[in-house]
Amino acid sequence: NGGSMSDSMHFSSELSGRYRKDRLPLAAISISDPAYLTCSANDYGYEQVFSRFLQANGRKGDVLIAISTSGNSPNIVNAAKFAKQSKIKVISLTGRADSKLSLFSDVCICTPCGIYADRIQEMHEKILHILVELIERKLFPNNYIV
């Protein structure tokens, strides 16, 4: 939702495009298509837009990166809940400890940076870049030989 969706789009682009050096693209999708979101929200309610997308596209063994500054957004929590039931791993980024989202996460990275979403989102962006680098280091170690 909001700025976190922009972070999601940025993260998936780093994986499927290019981060630092040329490498094979990695499958990554941000659930951010406005036509899908408005169609699904109109028919099923905004609280189901992400879980419905996962129902259509998610598979056992996939990984969902769930981003919510509050950790309590119903549509994000519902997506994580569906993912867990479907054997999809859930890594969440939140800004509040003991959030609802953390209950459905395999890994919850909480950045309690105060009461404003902008500070939380700034930390999430750094974490997402670190995750891309860690993924690249694991899958393409030759790109990190000095």
Side-chain angles (χ1 to χ4, degrees):
N1 301 311
S4 295
M5 180 178 286
S6 297
D7 290 341
S8 166
M9 293 167 68
H10 183 163
F11 178 69
S12 65
S13 296
E14 298 283 29
L15 291 175
S16 62
R18 179 176 186 256
Y19 183 55
R20 291 185 173 167
K21 292 186 177 180
D22 288 331
R23 54 147 166 88
L24 293 173
L26 300 171
I29 301 169
S30 174
I31 309 171
S32 56
D33 180 314
Y36 165 77
L37 292 172
T38 57
C39 170
S40 187
N42 185 59
D43 294 341
Y44 298 99
Y46 195 64
E47 292 183 358
Q48 303 307 317
V49 294
F50 299 126
S51 56
R52 185 149 178 90
F53 185 92
L54 287 176
Q55 187 176 10
N57 297 285
R59 301 292 176 262
K60 179 181 176 181
D62 286 350
V63 177
L64 171 68
I65 305 289
I67 308 171
S68 171
T69 57
S70 70
N72 295 315
S73 299
N75 56 357
I76 306 294
V77 172
N78 286 339
K81 190 182 305 184
F82 177 84
K84 291 296 290 178
Q85 294 167 351
S86 302
K87 308 292 188 226
I88 296 170
K89 297 290 184 191
V90 178
I91 299 172
S92 62
L93 277 67
T94 70
R96 305 280 184 266
D98 301 322
S99 66
K100 291 178 186 175
L101 184 55
S102 68
L103 300 174
F104 302 101
S105 302
D106 295 288
V107 175
C108 181
I109 302 170
C110 178
T111 59
C113 300
I115 60 172
Y116 297 109
D118 59 326
R119 293 295 171 246
I120 296 166
Q121 289 168 344
E122 289 166 358
M123 293 304 298
H124 286 177
E125 185 176 338
K126 291 180 185 334
I127 291 165
L128 290 169
H129 276 145
I130 290 167
L131 289 175
V132 172
E133 182 178 341
L134 291 172
I135 291 166
E136 280 193 348
R137 284 180 179 274
K138 179 70 173 176
L139 298 178
F140 307 100
N142 289 337
N143 277 358
Y144 287 89
I145 295 174
V146 182

